[in-house]
Each structure stands twice: as structure tokens, then as C-alpha cells.
Amino acid sequence: MSSHPPRAPRAADSGPSRRPSTELGAHHLGPRRSETKRIARERAGTLWQLAVLPALQSRGLGRLLIQAAEQRISSRGLRRAELAVEEDNPRARALYEHLGYVAYDRKPDAWDEEGPDGSIRRHETTCVLMRRSL
């Protein structure tokens, strides 16, 4: 039996995080288990947690990550890519629109974030849902 207390969930365990990372960029290709049937029915793949460090933005890395994710989605026989972007992130939304994504809805969303001191706080926002045919 361990003497260590259970670890609090980190932001990466429960959703996107705004804390610094040592990665150049990352993407996670869904689906969540609860969405598997819906996605199979709608034939869409989801881009999830796409991020590029601020110091490395405007160098084409976001575009490369999106293209790689779209190739994986297509290779799985899916015909559409979907994503959600926070309303207060116009730079990311402009990139998605430039790549052919179209907004089709909005929804409230929330996730836990880890602060610099290790504390966990709830981040609440509204996201714009976007999609594009592949």
C-alpha cells in the first residue's frame, strides 16, 4: 500500500490546458468512447486538443498538425472532420476557416486546468463547433 496521497487530476487528463508545454504542438484524434456510435453514424472524425506553443506559432505547425489528423481521419474511412474552438480564440478560428472549416453551432464547455502552483480550477467557456468535408 502506497503512502502517497492520490494524485489530483491534471489538466491533460480531463481536457485542454493553457499551461506551458515542452511540445512543439500536439493533436489528439478522438473519438471519445461515448461518441463512437454517433461518429460512426455521422461518418466524422474529431480533432481534439490541437495546440502550438505561442513561440512557435505562425510557422505552419498548426496547419501540419491539422493535415496529419485529417489524413488519419480519411484513412479510417470517415468523410468529415469536426472540431470545437473557443469563441475567444479568433486566431485559431481564422486558421480553421482558412482550411475550409465552417461553423455550424455553439455550445458551452468546461474542463479542469492546472495552475502554475498545481491547483486545479474549472475553466468555463463557449465553443464554436466547426466541420469540413474531406
Side-chain angles (χ1 to χ4, degrees):
M1 184 179 240
S2 172
S3 62
H4 299 280
R7 175 177 76 79
R10 294 178 48 202
D13 296 335
S14 57
S17 170
R18 293 183 192 277
R19 72 187 165 100
S21 170
T22 57
E23 298 178 23
L24 296 178
H27 72 275
H28 171 76
L29 186 59
R32 291 179 173 180
R33 287 184 184 153
S34 62
E35 296 179 341
T36 301
K37 289 181 182 177
R38 178 189 63 80
I39 289 172
R41 182 177 62 248
E42 296 179 9
R43 308 298 296 160
T46 301
L47 281 75
W48 196 261
Q49 294 182 323
L50 178 69
V52 175
L53 290 172
L56 299 173
Q57 291 176 355
S58 298
R59 298 179 186 196
L61 295 174
R63 177 188 303 264
L64 289 173
L65 289 168
I66 293 166
Q67 290 170 338
E70 289 174 345
Q71 287 174 353
R72 289 184 65 192
I73 290 168
S74 292
S75 73
R76 294 176 181 182
L78 303 174
R79 294 173 256 169
R80 189 172 61 243
E82 296 182 345
L83 57 85
V85 60
E86 287 185 86
E87 281 186 326
D88 66 353
N89 191 349
R91 185 176 177 151
R93 184 169 175 183
L95 171 62
Y96 302 140
E97 288 172 346
H98 179 76
L99 295 173
Y101 285 81
V102 177
Y104 67 92
D105 202 356
R106 307 171 58 237
K107 74 169 190 155
D109 203 353
W111 53 82
D112 292 334
E113 290 185 326
E114 185 176 344
D117 64 353
S119 64
I120 303 295
R121 73 173 184 91
R122 192 76 175 157
H123 177 79
E124 295 184 10
T125 190
T126 300
C127 289
V128 176
L129 306 179
M130 303 182 80
R131 64 180 161 215
R132 115 176 171 89
S133 295
L134 300 176

